[in-house]
Amino acid sequence: MSDCEPLGKRAKRPMRDSRCSRTLDDWLLKPVVTQRSSHQHHPEPAGSEQNSRKQECPESTDPFGEESPVTSEKPRRTGSAPVSDAAANTGTRKSTNVFTEAPGKVACRRAAAAAGADGKAFSGDVTGLGVPVSDLRRAPGCSGPLPALKPTDSHTVLIRTDLLQPGEVPEPYPSPDQLQDRWDDTHVKLPCSEHNLFPVDRTTLQSRWDLINKALSVPFSSAHDVKDAILKYNTGQAKGWNFTALHVYCKGLQASEAQQMFGELLPAMAQLALRAPSLLTQPIPLLRTQRCRSLTLSQEQVSCLLANAFFCTFPRRNSRRMEFSNYPDINFSRLFEGSSQSKQEKLKTLLWYFRRVTQQRPAGLLTYTRQCLQRLPSWSSSEKQFSKLRISCDGSIEDQGYGMLQVDFANRFVGGGVTGSGLVQEEIRFLINPELIAARLFTEALDDNECLIITGAEQFSRYSGYSDTYRWDGNHDDQTPRDEWKRRCTEIVAIDALHYRNFLEQFHAEHMSRELNKAFCGFVRPGVQTENLSAVATGNWGCGAFGGDTRLKAVLQMMAAAEAERDLMYFTFGDADLLRDVHHIHTLITDAYATVGSVFSLLLQYYECVCKKTTRGKPQETLYCFLSERL
């Protein structure tokens, strides 16, 4: 049998259904009523990828409630996919004609009645398939006990752990009178450092922090005053920085709003920034490439860092030619540029955060962890079975994925264009959970075997829309419980996908292995028992402008989750066709008891037997048709 023949469980290859010859273009050209999520912007500097359009599925009922059941019959588990009793008696129908396509095509089309994996018709308002949501583990219910919080060689803790009390603001460690300062290549260069000097003339240097103190202590009455204050200690940027967005925002305020902004909010933000010497009392290590390291800070310390970012006080971070060229931007100078509506909405969202933290000091902690794996799975020989899947075409990762490991479709420079023009999945998450932005200060660009894990980030805002239609939608009162370390039980992992300019690139063995390794790095938690691992909440990672195929990415993430021994909650963001296709292929895989290794071998076969023989842009035989014939 050649490598391109079905696996050995079938001695003779069945005749292929002629309808399996449609192109992969059909997958990406859904009718508007069912596909609303293929938008992704280009990198900033390499772009943040999109995928989390927060939209409802056609005819969905409650977009913020639990997904509706698949059928009115009580499901029974076969493998890891629920099937009806009737289907269990007759065997799951194995067919290649259930996969979706655009109108007017005949190949591999969905059955006339939108047949499900069990051969029955889906009802028109199905918004979720797979195991019940209640079957998936969530934190804190599934979490094991945490060890005592204390600093180690690889974990820097910037607060006094002996004084942690529920509801009380943590105290910085060490105390301000024992302030430690470090100005080197392995730590954040803080604006309040005594080494942060400003050239008065060719022979005279003065403390830049003194300049910052003086500039931010002057009352503000307009956006011009804010601009003038910032440029007093950033004189080299006077001709390059543009404050149009800030001027437009302030001009649009009502009189009472302007009074609140200039009389209360901005002065409070300035004072929060100036508290840096008393809040940031020990050096903050950089989370450098190929080093596993964690930082735990208080929410108040993070708010101080972000206030300094707003006023652009961080030294050596205004030019890509400096020593921080492999780190994201942190100063908010790009946020103030331009006159687009999206910049106005970004300012609204972030200023609301500052209003909240200046009116009431936040009392929790956050942990930022750079995870680097030196030993990666051998995908071709993996014997792991696929785990449980719940797939939904409505809801969102941050809402319906509460208590799960929530995936940030990241740029390798975490946060992407959050302080620039980007406004898709990653940027939106960083806006509504602004404490994520602080990671940009100390996280070097991610390598292929690395991810960033943030535990404890609080959501401060609600939103509507996506990209150009994004709008701040008011306050969000985050009721997520806290763990023993006073962190919100919200765990977010940043994993960056590859950017493909050629569609067929992604099916190459090297690229599929890279994406598997990246997802596995984000999902795995070495040393944690399986029963203590929450499900992964994810979606169309790396699709949109990054060129990823949604169906391939879904299979790769299922494989990575299985290898990491985690279940999967998959959001298609309004794409009902994708919901049905992914659920069906998962059912075929689990009913065949296929291992991760055997599916990886089939993916390699698809590249060798189909993609390599494709002379045009996309193959005639789709991935899911190919897999369904061989499982």
Side-chain angles (χ1 to χ4, degrees), residues 588-603:
L588 292 180
I589 290 170
T590 54
D591 283 357
Y593 297 99
T595 64
V596 168
S598 64
V599 172
F600 185 66
S601 296
L602 289 175
L603 294 178

PDB file of all heavy atoms in Angstrom, residues 588-603:
ATOM      1  N   LEU A 588     -15.763  11.383  13.842  1.00  0.00           N
ATOM      2  CA  LEU A 588     -15.112  10.311  13.084  1.00  0.00           C
ATOM      3  C   LEU A 588     -13.814   9.870  13.751  1.00  0.00           C
ATOM      4  O   LEU A 588     -13.515   8.680  13.848  1.00  0.00           O
ATOM      5  CB  LEU A 588     -14.831  10.774  11.657  1.00  0.00           C
ATOM      6  CG  LEU A 588     -16.032  11.021  10.743  1.00  0.00           C
ATOM      7  CD1 LEU A 588     -15.555  11.474   9.373  1.00  0.00           C
ATOM      8  CD2 LEU A 588     -16.891   9.767  10.618  1.00  0.00           C
ATOM      9  N   ILE A 589     -13.039  10.833  14.225  1.00  0.00           N
ATOM     10  CA  ILE A 589     -11.755  10.514  14.866  1.00  0.00           C
ATOM     11  C   ILE A 589     -11.969   9.716  16.138  1.00  0.00           C
ATOM     12  O   ILE A 589     -11.303   8.691  16.370  1.00  0.00           O
ATOM     13  CB  ILE A 589     -10.973  11.816  15.155  1.00  0.00           C
ATOM     14  CG1 ILE A 589     -10.472  12.451  13.854  1.00  0.00           C
ATOM     15  CG2 ILE A 589      -9.799  11.546  16.092  1.00  0.00           C
ATOM     16  CD1 ILE A 589      -9.905  13.853  14.029  1.00  0.00           C
ATOM     17  N   THR A 590     -12.895  10.163  16.986  1.00  0.00           N
ATOM     18  CA  THR A 590     -13.087   9.482  18.267  1.00  0.00           C
ATOM     19  C   THR A 590     -13.774   8.132  18.094  1.00  0.00           C
ATOM     20  O   THR A 590     -13.452   7.168  18.811  1.00  0.00           O
ATOM     21  CB  THR A 590     -13.892  10.372  19.233  1.00  0.00           C
ATOM     22  OG1 THR A 590     -15.116  10.781  18.605  1.00  0.00           O
ATOM     23  CG2 THR A 590     -13.090  11.602  19.626  1.00  0.00           C
ATOM     24  N   ASP A 591     -14.693   8.028  17.150  1.00  0.00           N
ATOM     25  CA  ASP A 591     -15.346   6.739  16.926  1.00  0.00           C
ATOM     26  C   ASP A 591     -14.358   5.703  16.372  1.00  0.00           C
ATOM     27  O   ASP A 591     -14.520   4.502  16.592  1.00  0.00           O
ATOM     28  CB  ASP A 591     -16.516   6.893  15.951  1.00  0.00           C
ATOM     29  CG  ASP A 591     -17.736   7.512  16.607  1.00  0.00           C
ATOM     30  OD1 ASP A 591     -17.673   7.767  17.834  1.00  0.00           O
ATOM     31  OD2 ASP A 591     -18.736   7.758  15.912  1.00  0.00           O
ATOM     32  N   ALA A 592     -13.346   6.173  15.647  1.00  0.00           N
ATOM     33  CA  ALA A 592     -12.320   5.268  15.111  1.00  0.00           C
ATOM     34  C   ALA A 592     -11.203   5.013  16.124  1.00  0.00           C
ATOM     35  O   ALA A 592     -10.277   4.260  15.833  1.00  0.00           O
ATOM     36  CB  ALA A 592     -11.727   5.861  13.839  1.00  0.00           C
ATOM     37  N   TYR A 593     -11.292   5.653  17.314  1.00  0.00           N
ATOM     38  CA  TYR A 593     -10.245   5.560  18.322  1.00  0.00           C
ATOM     39  C   TYR A 593      -8.880   5.906  17.727  1.00  0.00           C
ATOM     40  O   TYR A 593      -7.862   5.295  18.060  1.00  0.00           O
ATOM     41  CB  TYR A 593     -10.214   4.166  18.964  1.00  0.00           C
ATOM     42  CG  TYR A 593     -11.480   3.833  19.711  1.00  0.00           C
ATOM     43  CD1 TYR A 593     -12.466   3.040  19.129  1.00  0.00           C
ATOM     44  CD2 TYR A 593     -11.710   4.341  20.990  1.00  0.00           C
ATOM     45  CE1 TYR A 593     -13.646   2.750  19.798  1.00  0.00           C
ATOM     46  CE2 TYR A 593     -12.886   4.060  21.670  1.00  0.00           C
ATOM     47  CZ  TYR A 593     -13.856   3.267  21.069  1.00  0.00           C
ATOM     48  OH  TYR A 593     -15.007   3.003  21.738  1.00  0.00           O
ATOM     49  N   ALA A 594      -8.886   6.872  16.822  1.00  0.00           N
ATOM     50  CA  ALA A 594      -7.634   7.296  16.183  1.00  0.00           C
ATOM     51  C   ALA A 594      -6.769   8.037  17.197  1.00  0.00           C
ATOM     52  O   ALA A 594      -7.272   8.805  18.025  1.00  0.00           O
ATOM     53  CB  ALA A 594      -7.930   8.187  14.987  1.00  0.00           C
ATOM     54  N   THR A 595      -5.488   7.817  17.155  1.00  0.00           N
ATOM     55  CA  THR A 595      -4.560   8.501  18.050  1.00  0.00           C
ATOM     56  C   THR A 595      -4.089   9.810  17.414  1.00  0.00           C
ATOM     57  O   THR A 595      -4.255  10.033  16.216  1.00  0.00           O
ATOM     58  CB  THR A 595      -3.340   7.622  18.336  1.00  0.00           C
ATOM     59  OG1 THR A 595      -2.625   7.421  17.105  1.00  0.00           O
ATOM     60  CG2 THR A 595      -3.759   6.287  18.932  1.00  0.00           C
ATOM     61  N   VAL A 596      -3.477  10.631  18.236  1.00  0.00           N
ATOM     62  CA  VAL A 596      -2.877  11.869  17.727  1.00  0.00           C
ATOM     63  C   VAL A 596      -1.848  11.541  16.659  1.00  0.00           C
ATOM     64  O   VAL A 596      -1.772  12.193  15.611  1.00  0.00           O
ATOM     65  CB  VAL A 596      -2.254  12.678  18.883  1.00  0.00           C
ATOM     66  CG1 VAL A 596      -1.375  13.809  18.346  1.00  0.00           C
ATOM     67  CG2 VAL A 596      -3.338  13.245  19.802  1.00  0.00           C
ATOM     68  N   GLY A 597      -1.055  10.502  16.895  1.00  0.00           N
ATOM     69  CA  GLY A 597      -0.024  10.124  15.928  1.00  0.00           C
ATOM     70  C   GLY A 597      -0.597   9.684  14.596  1.00  0.00           C
ATOM     71  O   GLY A 597      -0.064  10.032  13.533  1.00  0.00           O
ATOM     72  N   SER A 598      -1.695   8.908  14.622  1.00  0.00           N
ATOM     73  CA  SER A 598      -2.273   8.442  13.364  1.00  0.00           C
ATOM     74  C   SER A 598      -2.894   9.591  12.583  1.00  0.00           C
ATOM     75  O   SER A 598      -2.801   9.632  11.345  1.00  0.00           O
ATOM     76  CB  SER A 598      -3.316   7.352  13.629  1.00  0.00           C
ATOM     77  OG  SER A 598      -4.415   7.854  14.366  1.00  0.00           O
ATOM     78  N   VAL A 599      -3.497  10.551  13.273  1.00  0.00           N
ATOM     79  CA  VAL A 599      -4.056  11.701  12.573  1.00  0.00           C
ATOM     80  C   VAL A 599      -2.942  12.569  11.997  1.00  0.00           C
ATOM     81  O   VAL A 599      -3.052  13.088  10.878  1.00  0.00           O
ATOM     82  CB  VAL A 599      -4.971  12.518  13.511  1.00  0.00           C
ATOM     83  CG1 VAL A 599      -5.413  13.826  12.848  1.00  0.00           C
ATOM     84  CG2 VAL A 599      -6.203  11.699  13.900  1.00  0.00           C
ATOM     85  N   PHE A 600      -1.841  12.715  12.737  1.00  0.00           N
ATOM     86  CA  PHE A 600      -0.705  13.466  12.209  1.00  0.00           C
ATOM     87  C   PHE A 600      -0.183  12.803  10.931  1.00  0.00           C
ATOM     88  O   PHE A 600       0.159  13.485   9.954  1.00  0.00           O
ATOM     89  CB  PHE A 600       0.404  13.552  13.249  1.00  0.00           C
ATOM     90  CG  PHE A 600       1.574  14.404  12.827  1.00  0.00           C
ATOM     91  CD1 PHE A 600       1.433  15.773  12.639  1.00  0.00           C
ATOM     92  CD2 PHE A 600       2.818  13.838  12.612  1.00  0.00           C
ATOM     93  CE1 PHE A 600       2.508  16.564  12.246  1.00  0.00           C
ATOM     94  CE2 PHE A 600       3.903  14.619  12.218  1.00  0.00           C
ATOM     95  CZ  PHE A 600       3.735  15.982  12.041  1.00  0.00           C
ATOM     96  N   SER A 601      -0.136  11.465  10.902  1.00  0.00           N
ATOM     97  CA  SER A 601       0.309  10.756   9.697  1.00  0.00           C
ATOM     98  C   SER A 601      -0.625  11.040   8.524  1.00  0.00           C
ATOM     99  O   SER A 601      -0.171  11.194   7.380  1.00  0.00           O
ATOM    100  CB  SER A 601       0.365   9.251   9.966  1.00  0.00           C
ATOM    101  OG  SER A 601       1.341   8.954  10.948  1.00  0.00           O
ATOM    102  N   LEU A 602      -1.925  11.131   8.808  1.00  0.00           N
ATOM    103  CA  LEU A 602      -2.874  11.445   7.742  1.00  0.00           C
ATOM    104  C   LEU A 602      -2.680  12.874   7.235  1.00  0.00           C
ATOM    105  O   LEU A 602      -2.816  13.143   6.037  1.00  0.00           O
ATOM    106  CB  LEU A 602      -4.307  11.252   8.242  1.00  0.00           C
ATOM    107  CG  LEU A 602      -4.754   9.800   8.460  1.00  0.00           C
ATOM    108  CD1 LEU A 602      -6.146   9.751   9.061  1.00  0.00           C
ATOM    109  CD2 LEU A 602      -4.701   9.008   7.162  1.00  0.00           C
ATOM    110  N   LEU A 603      -2.359  13.780   8.132  1.00  0.00           N
ATOM    111  CA  LEU A 603      -2.085  15.152   7.699  1.00  0.00           C
ATOM    112  C   LEU A 603      -0.862  15.195   6.783  1.00  0.00           C
ATOM    113  O   LEU A 603      -0.842  15.934   5.792  1.00  0.00           O
ATOM    114  CB  LEU A 603      -1.876  16.057   8.919  1.00  0.00           C
ATOM    115  CG  LEU A 603      -3.083  16.286   9.826  1.00  0.00           C
ATOM    116  CD1 LEU A 603      -2.682  17.168  11.016  1.00  0.00           C
ATOM    117  CD2 LEU A 603      -4.241  16.929   9.075  1.00  0.00           C
TER     118      LEU A 603
END
